[in-house]
Amino acid sequence: MNYIVLDLEWNQSPAGKSGENRAIPFEIIEIGAVKLDQSRQIIDRFHECVRPQVYQNLHFKTQELIHISMGELSSARSFPEVAGDFLRWCGEDYVMCTWGTMDLEELQRNMDFYQMENPFPRPLLFYDVQKLFSRVYEDGHSRRSLEYAVEYLHFQKDLSFHRAYDDTCYTAMIMQKLDWERVKDYLSVDYHRPPRTKEDEIYLQFPDYAKYVSRPFCTKEAVMEDKGVTATPCCVCGRSLRRKIRWFPSGSKTYDSLSWCPDHGYMKGKIRLKKAAEGDAYYVIKILRMAGEEDVEKVREKREHLRAKRRTRRKHKKGA
């Protein structure tokens, strides 16, 4: 199996939202990639600019970041041609690696716009190297820029930033530096094409947490009525747990809970409702992880704070 380290550069409507094509808000203008073997050594390279067909002028931010001219782009090939060659270059047995989560989403959205066949598996699992860097060198939650990571690791900045091929080289260097045995289990899920049926639903077990991605539901209410969505199995042993604090809304599209495992202690749950790309359906991303005393107290305080706000609102309504 190989690793494909991918980076994209894209343009957007120079007129802002008023000139945006909602089907393709970010039009890809450059694809860069390096192919790594199992030892994470570079064995091949791919780099090509893409001729824009939707936004014929560059947004000022695009010009500032990537220092590319429309003249250079006008002589490039079209997206279907370049993307088709890129996908064939990837080969058969590989896993995608990106800095952050946006590149695969935008690649597939551009493919959808041009009605290209999507060859990626469902679910599409990939390595978010930005997240892996945080797990190894920071708190696991912070998300740093690529340039920050390069400086942190004291790499020579011989290449530019915000050019697709150069950024893939830096990302590959960071991958080579990581303790791969420590992070190789932490695959990320691309949500461009969420599960379609109950059989397609995604269950992933990691060393310190579990993730579930649901099929679509017609309404928010239907989501929280589903037993599979609200179940809280222990993320370590899989035992079905009793909830000490039932799921409660902690935001307009989030829910929290607290459960207890006799063998492993408290476990906190987080549900996030996501709008499906097509139609008005919703799907769920649920994270279950073990909780320390501080985490437990935060969940309790959050629930009590929300209860107090509801009581205050009810009093105001009665007073009115």
Side-chain angles (χ1 to χ4, degrees):
M1 182 191 71
N2 294 321
Y3 302 99
I4 304 295
V5 185
L6 170 69
D7 189 83
L8 307 171
E9 302 298 339
W10 50 70
N11 187 31
Q12 56 188 303
S13 168
K17 289 290 184 182
S18 62
E20 181 182 283
N21 184 325
R22 295 184 65 182
I24 183 171
F26 300 110
E27 182 179 19
I28 293 170
I29 56 174
E30 188 178 28
I31 299 177
V34 292
K35 185 181 293 184
L36 312 183
D37 62 18
Q38 291 188 359
S39 300
R40 286 167 288 133
Q41 300 302 308
I42 295 177
I43 57 174
D44 205 354
R45 295 166 171 81
F46 184 97
H47 175 230
E48 193 165 341
C49 288
V50 178
R51 184 177 72 252
Q53 299 184 44
V54 179
Y55 306 121
Q56 297 301 315
N57 294 300
L58 292 176
H59 191 280
F60 74 93
K61 287 186 178 178
T62 306
Q63 291 178 311
E64 288 177 358
L65 282 175
I66 67 174
H67 304 292
I68 194 170
S69 69
M70 186 56 74
E72 183 179 351
L73 296 175
S74 63
S75 61
R77 294 191 298 161
S78 69
F79 177 81
E81 293 174 298
V82 178
D85 280 352
F86 166 68
L87 293 170
R88 284 185 286 273
W89 171 84
C90 289
E92 297 293 331
D93 188 15
Y94 63 89
V95 60
M96 284 287 187
C97 310
T98 60
W99 188 264
T101 61
M102 290 187 65
D103 289 276
L104 286 172
E105 167 69 24
E106 296 310 325
L107 175 63
Q108 292 174 96
R109 187 146 55 173
N110 277 244
M111 290 165 60
D112 292 344
F113 180 80
Y114 288 104
Q115 299 181 337
M116 295 178 64
E117 181 182 355
N118 191 325
F120 297 128
R122 298 182 71 157
L124 172 53
L125 304 180
F126 70 102
Y127 284 114
D128 176 356
V129 184
Q130 185 184 50
K131 180 177 75 174
L132 301 185
F133 171 84
S134 182
R135 292 196 71 92
V136 172
Y137 296 107
E138 298 191 310
D139 59 4
H141 303 289
S142 58
R143 296 293 181 263
R144 301 291 192 175
S145 70
L146 182 62
E147 187 168 5
Y148 173 93
V150 168
E151 291 175 348
Y152 182 93
L153 296 172
H154 305 293
F155 293 149
Q156 291 291 322
K157 294 198 288 186
D158 298 327
L159 304 171
S160 62
F161 289 92
H162 304 295
R163 288 303 302 261
Y165 174 71
D166 292 347
D167 283 354
T168 64
C169 292
Y170 282 129
T171 304
M173 290 166 62
I174 293 168
M175 287 180 63
Q176 293 165 352
K177 185 75 172 179
L178 294 175
D179 180 351
W180 202 246
E181 286 301 312
R182 179 177 169 184
V183 299
K184 68 179 183 179
D185 293 332
Y186 290 98
L187 285 157
S188 294
V189 182
D190 173 75
Y191 302 118
H192 182 74
R193 296 188 298 168
R196 292 166 292 190
T197 66
K198 188 172 181 62
E199 291 68 34
D200 291 337
E201 291 183 328
I202 301 167
Y203 301 85
L204 294 175
Q205 185 76 39
F206 299 99
D208 54 354
Y209 71 97
K211 176 179 285 189
Y212 159 79
V213 185
S214 78
R215 67 194 185 279
F217 293 87
C218 294
T219 65
K220 294 180 184 180
E221 292 74 21
V223 170
M224 298 310 295
E225 290 172 359
D226 185 83
K227 292 182 178 179
V229 170
T230 58
T232 51
C234 176
C235 63
V236 178
C237 65
R239 178 191 300 202
S240 182
L241 303 184
R242 178 185 175 188
R243 285 186 286 278
K244 294 290 187 178
I245 294 180
R246 296 180 180 180
W247 291 105
F248 64 93
S250 54
S252 61
K253 294 182 180 179
T254 58
Y255 294 81
D256 289 357
S257 73
L258 194 65
S259 305
W260 172 256
C261 177
D263 295 325
H264 301 102
Y266 281 105
M267 185 187 71
K268 62 178 180 178
K270 171 74 75 174
I271 283 175
R272 289 184 173 86
L273 294 180
K274 296 284 188 178
K275 195 76 177 291
E278 298 178 358
D280 296 323
Y282 294 88
Y283 68 96
V284 159
I285 301 170
K286 178 173 66 178
I287 302 291
L288 303 171
R289 65 174 77 243
M290 303 317 297
E293 292 182 9
E294 185 177 344
D295 297 317
V296 170
E297 191 58 32
K298 284 182 179 178
V299 174
R300 287 175 172 159
E301 287 177 357
K302 185 185 292 185
R303 183 186 62 169
E304 292 308 312
H305 175 70
L306 292 168
R307 283 179 170 178
K309 286 179 68 174
R310 286 196 294 268
R311 286 195 294 268
T312 301
R313 285 197 297 267
R314 284 196 293 267
K315 287 180 181 179
H316 285 317
K317 285 183 180 180
K318 288 180 180 179

